[in-house]
Amino acid sequence: MSLKYLFDTNIISELMRPAPNPIIVQKVDLYKEEVATASIVVHELLYGGFRLPESKKRKAFLDYINNSVLNLPILSYDSRSAQVHAQERARLSKIGKTLAFADGQIASIASSNDLILVTNNVADFQYFENLKIENWFESGDNP
């Protein structure tokens, strides 16, 4: 099976919750062979984990990343993604729109790999051209 979806940070964070949204869990289980994440997402997760004080929560958080997230295919911000990102940043700046740099990197990885970005922050990516987005938290995106 080939990759179809790229998970944004908030989807993986949802799965780490003590009681994750059952719709997200169901869809992840349904599409588990078709999902990847981005190296930028791994950075965001690890950064969040390393910022936590030494505790059982921090250990559990970092263990989840090491034992689950790092088992996903992880797509890098490569030269193709960088080109897409630069073009979109330039286009957006001309129309007065700004995308957070990390979000632009994530979007460009999804776009350059022809993947659907799965996120709960659709508004953060709405102006990025040629990007397919699904919000699995909304019932309208049922598979």
Side-chain angles (χ1 to χ4, degrees):
M1 210 171 253
S2 63
L3 294 177
K4 183 175 180 179
Y5 299 104
L6 186 85
F7 284 173
D8 190 14
T9 309
N10 56 62
I11 298 301
I12 295 173
S13 294
E14 180 64 27
L15 295 171
M16 297 167 70
R17 294 169 56 91
N21 182 312
I23 295 169
I24 301 301
V25 173
Q26 177 188 14
K27 289 183 179 186
V28 168
D29 189 49
L30 184 63
Y31 294 112
K32 63 184 166 220
E33 301 297 322
E34 300 175 78
V35 302
T37 195
S39 56
I40 312 310
V41 169
V42 172
H43 167 268
E44 289 182 331
L45 292 167
L46 287 170
Y47 175 66
F50 291 137
R51 290 183 64 212
L52 293 172
E54 291 286 341
S55 62
K56 288 181 182 179
K57 179 180 178 180
R58 175 184 167 151
K59 182 180 179 341
F61 188 90
L62 293 173
D63 285 349
Y64 181 85
I65 294 167
N66 286 312
N67 297 321
S68 295
V69 178
L70 295 181
N71 289 326
L72 290 172
I74 299 172
L75 303 180
S76 295
Y77 183 75
D78 60 12
S79 60
R80 221 174 24 158
S81 302
Q83 182 174 350
V84 169
H85 187 198
Q87 288 172 329
E88 275 300 283
R89 280 186 76 202
R91 185 188 66 78
L92 290 169
S93 70
K94 287 178 186 173
I95 60 171
K97 304 290 181 193
T98 304
L99 185 65
F101 194 82
D103 287 344
Q105 290 177 303
I106 294 166
S108 67
I109 291 169
S111 178
S112 66
N113 286 282
D114 196 30
L115 299 175
I116 299 166
L117 179 63
V118 180
T119 184
N120 193 29
N121 295 333
V122 172
D124 292 350
F125 300 96
Q126 67 183 340
Y127 299 110
F128 202 97
E129 282 189 345
N130 301 315
L131 177 65
K132 296 173 276 189
I133 304 171
E134 288 186 11
N135 183 352
W136 288 358
F137 284 87
E138 296 179 352
S139 58
D141 287 327
N142 285 331

